[in-house]
Amino acid sequence: MEPRELHLTADTLDHARDVVARHVPRSAAYRWPLIEAATGTTTWIKHENHNPTGAFKVRGGLTFMAHHADERPGAGVISASRGNHSQSLAFAGAAAGVPVTIVVPEGNSPDKNAATEAFGAELIVHGRDFQAAVDHSRVLADQRGLVPVPPVHPWLVEGVATYAAELHEDVPGLDVVYVPVGMGSGICANIAVRDLIGSGAEVVGVVADRAPAYALSFDRGEPVATDAADTLIDGVACRIPDPGAVAVVVAGASRIERAADQEALDAMALLYRATHNLAEPAGAIALAAAVRDRELNRGRRVAVVLTGGNCDHQVLARAFGG
């Protein structure tokens, strides 16, 4: 697929919202007293875990497939994913009549694998980590004549931007938004919407401290890869960042925070106790950073994106066992 630049305008955002609204209802942004006791300030949780695939990425999948079906009718697509991106494409492909093939690494979440197949995708297991799965998906794209879907693409970001637009409409005057960062579609969408509407909100990205590629890239001002991304926070286990996403993050984010595996587990437990919502580790790390920034944020209006709730039982047991 040819590289494309993101040009989020009022018109492209409106089109994305029309596409997404056919399948995804507006997600809630709630204040929870026990969450605010932990963050020390007014805090809204944006509940993207309530979407049809249990995560925010379904929005991007829908807009991607809408564009793809117009440009390449009948052509199948292939991508690599640890889970939420794959379910997004499978769900959207079924809705648009587009065949979807997904490559996942060995040891990937069995629950996410099962959900991806249940939504209608062909699942292929290959490689020791996400990057190995990406490389194999490119080989298969050539062999099978499939259109590769990257983890970050303007069509994906347009769809994800719909939740950021909802958030700013529902909670005007935000001071800071905390967003988990995997490959970058979520933080890019939040920056794009913030700039489009002229909000003064800071956008803070949060990565796993054992998968710090985007934090290192932000600090250096250019893409920095790592040799490993060995973290239970699998939704953000990136070791080779997307150059286009890095450019947007460097230009538009306030900072990138790092969350330890245990902080993610603690935040998952807090979310359950305070809101009775289940979060996956990647969906909880934005809250982990907001809790850590308690003193910094006193008196500020804070939003935390709960990006997904697709978590294996064994990880939930580990989070709640303590």
Side-chain angles (χ1 to χ4, degrees):
M1 175 165 287
E2 293 299 318
R4 301 169 188 255
E5 291 186 8
L6 173 65
H7 295 293
L8 188 68
T9 66
D11 287 341
T12 57
L13 180 58
D14 284 346
H15 177 262
R17 296 183 80 164
D18 287 343
V19 170
V20 170
R22 297 171 201 158
H23 304 275
V24 178
R26 191 183 192 96
S27 65
Y30 288 144
R31 291 177 61 186
W32 299 92
L34 293 177
I35 293 294
E36 295 185 340
T39 61
T41 194
T42 52
T43 303
W44 286 262
I45 303 292
K46 180 63 168 168
H47 284 282
E48 287 296 288
N49 58 308
H50 291 174
N51 290 341
T53 63
F56 78 102
K57 285 182 180 286
V58 67
R59 297 171 181 266
L62 289 164
T63 49
F64 186 95
M65 288 299 180
H67 286 294
H68 170 77
D70 287 342
E71 288 199 358
R72 300 282 297 275
V77 303
I78 187 169
S79 192
S81 172
R82 295 297 301 263
N84 287 336
H85 177 60
S86 65
Q87 292 176 69
S88 163
L89 293 179
F91 179 93
V98 175
V100 175
T101 301
I102 297 294
V103 183
V104 301
E106 298 164 2
N108 197 52
S109 161
D111 290 350
K112 290 181 180 178
N113 288 353
T116 298
E117 291 184 300
F119 280 124
E122 176 187 357
L123 190 81
I124 296 172
V125 180
H126 182 91
R128 68 181 178 87
D129 62 12
F130 172 71
Q131 191 57 44
V134 170
D135 295 341
H136 188 61
S137 72
R138 292 168 180 161
V139 172
L140 291 179
D142 290 337
Q143 291 177 349
R144 298 187 179 188
L146 301 173
V147 176
V149 183
V152 183
H153 186 281
W155 293 347
L156 297 172
V157 176
E158 286 175 11
V160 176
T162 62
Y163 90 64
E166 292 173 7
L167 176 60
H168 285 281
E169 289 170 354
D170 292 342
V171 191
L174 284 168
D175 294 305
V176 57
V177 180
Y178 287 86
V179 188
V181 182
M183 285 302 295
S185 64
I187 191 169
C188 288
N190 276 274
I191 291 169
V193 169
R194 186 269 315 272
D195 293 347
L196 178 65
I197 67 176
S199 166
E202 295 182 11
V203 176
V204 176
V206 190
V207 301
D209 68 356
R210 296 174 68 179
Y214 271 88
L216 297 171
S217 300
F218 181 81
D219 291 343
R220 191 174 298 180
E222 62 184 14
V224 177
T226 61
D227 293 330
D230 183 17
T231 174
L232 67 78
I233 313 173
D234 58 343
V236 295
C238 160
R239 64 181 177 89
I240 300 181
D242 179 84
V246 168
V248 173
V249 171
V250 168
S254 293
R255 63 187 186 280
I256 304 294
E257 298 283 351
R258 305 186 192 195
D261 284 7
Q262 187 59 51
E263 287 182 296
L265 295 172
D266 292 344
M268 290 169 62
L270 172 58
L271 279 162
Y272 182 75
R273 289 196 306 268
T275 76
H276 294 144
N277 278 257
L278 297 178
E280 62 190 272
I285 59 173
L287 178 61
V291 170
R292 190 197 301 152
D293 284 348
R294 178 187 177 94
E295 295 303 320
L296 176 65
N297 286 327
R298 286 197 181 278
R300 307 180 84 195
R301 293 162 62 83
V302 171
V304 168
V305 186
L306 200 176
T307 49
N310 295 318
C311 185
D312 289 347
H313 179 268
Q314 69 221 36
V315 178
L316 287 174
R318 182 172 172 183
F320 298 161

